[in-house]
Amino acid sequence: DAEITQSPRHKITETGRQVTLACHQTWNHNNMFWYRQDLGHGLRLIHYSYGVHDTNKGEVSDGYSVSRSNTEDLPLTLESAASSQTSVYFCASSEAGTGGNEQFFGPGTRLTVL
Amino acid sequence: GNSVTQMEGPVTLSEEAFLTINCTYTATGYPSLFWYVQYPGEGLQLLLKATKADDKGSNKGFEATYRKETTSFHLEKGSVQVSDSAVYFCALSASGGSYIPTFGRGTSLIVHP
């Protein structure tokens, strides 16, 4: 069965370190997204991609970067981790086509920045 | 721009009670509407969707009807179970162009035995 996976599931790091969160999907979807989920803020979009070599900033992109070298993967990098980036991160994917397509979410990565 | 407003939680119910979670939206054109559910420690998963006015989405005993005249997509279930305890998100996806959905803030549902 097709799926979307994230690793690691839990990560503790220190302020200033670079961190990369992995996202891998086997749906063969063109669209991939990264969100963060925080109490009181719901889901906020960090970056998204509509295909290989395409990346775009979302509403909370400062301090984060992504790259898309193939269809299956969209890793999220925190260049210099800050305590404000402690959060739960979700990767999602969807088919290209009409806007009526659902998003498929990964299980999430809980990141703690000390 | 597009927006989704859903009722604040938590919603606390006893098992077998009737559930309604209100959702209203603002969008141009004819968006598709979704309800996602997030169980503890998991990612969101699609619960149901409707792609045009008057469509009813249904799954696992949950229903929602796309009401264009009231710009609403309220989630209902006739008899909730403890296993329905989760966070429910209403979302819309605009017709044409962007594939970025707009999510509501989420409503936590707690069902007691």
Side-chain angles (χ1 to χ4, degrees):
Chain A
D1 285 348
E3 61 178 355
I4 180 165
T5 57
Q6 294 183 235
S7 62
R9 293 294 313 277
H10 301 271
K11 174 79 175 176
I12 299 174
T13 191
E14 295 177 343
T15 302
R17 291 192 179 266
Q18 184 180 80
V19 176
T20 296
L21 309 183
C23 173
H24 179 80
Q25 53 100 0
T26 57
W27 291 99
N28 200 34
H29 287 160
N30 282 331
N31 304 334
M32 295 185 73
F33 308 82
W34 273 104
Y35 296 90
R36 59 179 290 175
Q37 185 177 33
D38 305 284
L39 274 176
H41 291 279
L43 285 171
R44 291 184 288 176
L45 183 64
I46 305 172
H47 281 285
Y48 60 100
S49 168
Y50 288 159
V52 176
H53 303 310
D54 176 75
T55 61
N56 306 279
K57 294 180 178 181
E59 62 180 297
V60 290
S61 61
D62 286 351
Y64 303 93
S65 64
V66 294
S67 62
R68 186 93 179 268
S69 59
N70 58 49
T71 300
E72 296 79 18
D73 298 290
L74 187 69
L76 177 71
T77 297
L78 287 67
E79 304 293 346
S80 177
S83 58
S84 60
Q85 295 176 309
T86 293
S87 186
V88 181
Y89 291 86
F90 289 99
C91 180
S93 70
S94 68
E95 283 187 60
T98 69
N101 294 322
E102 68 179 282
Q103 288 197 327
F104 294 81
F105 283 80
T109 294
R110 182 175 295 276
L111 177 68
T112 302
V113 182
L114 301 175
Chain B
N2 299 331
S3 67
V4 173
T5 302
Q6 55 182 113
M7 58 193 293
E8 298 260 344
V11 173
T12 304
L13 295 172
S14 297
E15 205 164 24
E16 299 184 4
F18 185 86
L19 169 71
T20 300
I21 300 178
N22 291 335
C23 171
T24 58
Y25 69 89
T26 302
T28 54
Y30 300 91
S32 295
L33 302 175
F34 306 84
W35 277 101
Y36 287 85
V37 59
Q38 183 180 30
Y39 298 105
E42 298 183 10
L44 281 70
Q45 57 185 273
L46 181 70
L47 181 59
L48 53 86
K49 73 175 187 181
T51 57
K52 60 183 188 295
D54 299 325
D55 266 4
K56 178 185 283 188
S58 61
N59 186 26
K60 298 181 181 180
F62 291 89
E63 293 183 339
T65 301
Y66 189 146
R67 301 286 189 199
K68 188 158 180 65
E69 65 276 13
T70 55
T71 62
S72 65
F73 193 55
H74 304 322
L75 183 67
E76 297 182 335
K77 187 176 185 183
S79 176
V80 294
Q81 306 301 310
V82 171
S83 57
D84 294 326
S85 298
V87 181
Y88 293 82
F89 291 88
C90 185
L92 71 82
S93 188
S95 54
S98 170
Y99 300 114
I100 303 170
T102 300
F103 287 92
R105 288 284 187 95
T107 302
S108 175
L109 171 65
I110 302 168
V111 181
H112 293 293

